Amino acid sequence: MREPVFLSHGASREHETGAHPEHAARIEAIESLLGERHWCGYQTVTSPAASRAELELVHTPAHIDRIAAAASAGGGQLDPDTVLSAGSFQAALHASGGAIELVRRLVAGGPGQVGFSAHRPPGHHATANRAMGFCLFNNVAVAARYALEKLGLRRVLVLDWDVHHGNGTSEIFWDTDAVLLISIHQMPLYPGSGATYELGSGRGYGYNVNLPVPAGAGDDTFVSLVRDVAVPIARAYRPELVLVSAGYDAHAEDPLADCRVSDTGFGAMAALVRDLGHELAVPVGCVLEGGYAVDALARSVVLTMETLAAQPAAPDALVAALAVDPLALEAQERLAELWPAVAGGVREP
């Protein structure tokens, strides 16, 4: 097991949002608890800023210019949800740069390498030419595209367990099979996308897998969807890198949604992803997205990091005891034609 890496930068605190759920206390809570836990044994790395050329792997020049100009002018309200301040452009550069540096280190480390990139603003709602949903640049998409175009990878899995659908990531990789996006999200909920019939197009058809859940969904549903749907599909896809769009707003304590995932549930999902990485002999990394109950966010991030860094052992207790959720069974049936391997994941309760 190689030394795990934790990517961060002080610029995350300079993205000033005022009375907004996405605020600097999120990062402060995570880093405070990590400090108490001796950083979970992770090597701490100061994130570089993404270059313009790196951002342009995903984003249009006009979009980058708009964010830079708005920050230079002192910031403002980009849309009803998305706030920008004078420090936001630099924060966003380091958020994307941290995700890129995470991927560089994951690929260099190879099988068994894990890491976590914890920055703000988050990214998975940002499209190629639009900031939205608290997001300025799409950090995980920039990092995945960097892995493909600069590091020579051919297949990247992005598992998005944020409670909101990652519409930006979906749109960016809509027509390619080089990125398999699997998203578990509450529906209906912002941004309104992520229906089961949204499967991609062209070469990307079937590589955009949406697993919507209703309000009230908790550990049983989320963990089963990872174990019984996402993992079998990932085995068939055989990615060379696994990235998690790691949002923690499906937590029972979160104020912005209505799911009921516990700390334990996030730990179980992290264990499944870790074990998948070991099975496929590929590195695994997380890029922070949402999570707005700061204490629950910090606990869940720390548990994710501890779990990723642990050697695979006996199955997680929650995973081992869990029956297949009805939503997972329905997804297996729905996706079996596109992904025949998923039918092999059916287990008797």
Side-chain angles (χ1 to χ4, degrees):
M1 192 81 176
R2 292 160 176 78
E3 185 178 29
V5 291
F6 177 80
L7 286 294
S8 64
H9 196 278
S12 286
R13 293 175 171 81
E14 303 307 314
H15 172 50
E16 298 175 4
T17 55
H20 191 282
E22 203 293 285
H23 52 77
R26 300 176 64 235
I27 294 295
E28 292 164 357
I30 292 169
E31 295 189 351
S32 176
L33 186 55
L34 279 172
E36 293 175 14
R37 304 286 180 86
H38 305 287
W39 300 91
C40 300
Y42 279 58
Q43 177 190 1
T44 57
V45 178
T46 300
S47 300
S51 69
R52 184 180 182 95
E54 289 167 344
L55 291 178
E56 287 183 359
L57 293 171
V58 163
H59 293 291
T60 64
H63 173 67
I64 299 166
D65 290 344
R66 279 193 297 271
I67 301 302
S72 283
Q77 197 85 24
L78 297 181
D79 67 20
D81 303 299
T82 310
V83 179
L84 187 142
S85 70
S88 296
F89 183 62
Q90 284 301 313
L93 289 180
H94 286 282
S96 287
I100 291 169
E101 183 64 19
L102 171 68
V103 163
R104 288 193 193 109
R105 289 172 179 257
L106 291 174
V107 173
Q113 183 69 64
V114 301
F116 201 109
S117 177
H119 301 77
R120 53 186 293 274
H124 73 155
H125 293 307
T127 69
N129 60 4
R130 181 184 175 193
M132 61 181 289
F134 312 167
C135 304
L136 302 182
F137 301 133
N138 194 314
N139 309 316
V140 77
V142 171
R145 183 67 59 74
Y146 183 91
L148 295 167
E149 296 197 13
K150 303 300 182 182
L151 301 179
L153 272 62
R154 295 166 297 169
R155 295 179 304 280
V156 176
L157 167 65
V158 177
L159 172 62
D160 189 332
W161 68 45
D162 189 282
V163 80
H164 303 93
H165 178 241
N167 61 294
T169 313
S170 175
E171 180 179 311
I172 288 162
F173 298 118
W174 185 253
D175 58 359
T176 180
D177 58 2
V179 173
L180 168 62
L181 173 63
I182 303 177
S183 178
I184 307 172
H185 49 272
Q186 183 180 326
M187 196 173 187
L189 193 66
Y190 181 92
S193 54
T196 57
Y197 57 79
E198 296 172 25
L199 291 163
S201 66
R203 292 180 63 88
Y205 185 76
Y207 294 86
N208 190 87
V209 177
N210 289 309
L211 303 172
V213 303
D219 292 351
D220 290 0
T221 299
F222 273 75
V223 175
S224 180
L225 286 171
V226 174
R227 183 192 67 185
D228 301 314
V229 183
V231 167
I233 291 175
R235 287 192 184 111
Y237 182 64
R238 300 202 65 80
E240 297 163 303
L241 171 67
V242 175
L243 296 175
V244 179
S245 258
Y248 295 90
D249 37 8
H251 198 285
E253 296 176 22
D254 200 274
L256 294 194
D258 306 293
C259 287
R260 309 302 300 168
V261 180
S262 69
D263 298 17
T264 301
F266 283 112
M269 290 192 289
L272 285 163
V273 173
R274 175 202 64 203
D275 293 351
L276 175 67
H278 279 268
E279 178 185 340
L280 299 178
V282 300
V284 175
C286 293
V287 177
L288 183 65
E289 300 288 359
Y292 308 101
V294 295
D295 291 339
L297 170 65
R299 296 193 312 266
S300 299
V301 168
V302 168
L303 181 56
T304 297
M305 291 173 59
E306 290 173 338
T307 303
L308 288 181
Q311 290 286 357
D316 178 273
L318 173 58
V319 173
L322 195 64
V324 183
D325 189 85
L327 280 179
L329 286 169
E330 185 275 329
Q332 288 173 338
E333 295 171 2
R334 182 178 76 248
L335 294 165
E337 184 174 348
L338 288 168
W339 294 98
V342 80
V346 177
R347 307 179 194 180
E348 294 298 325

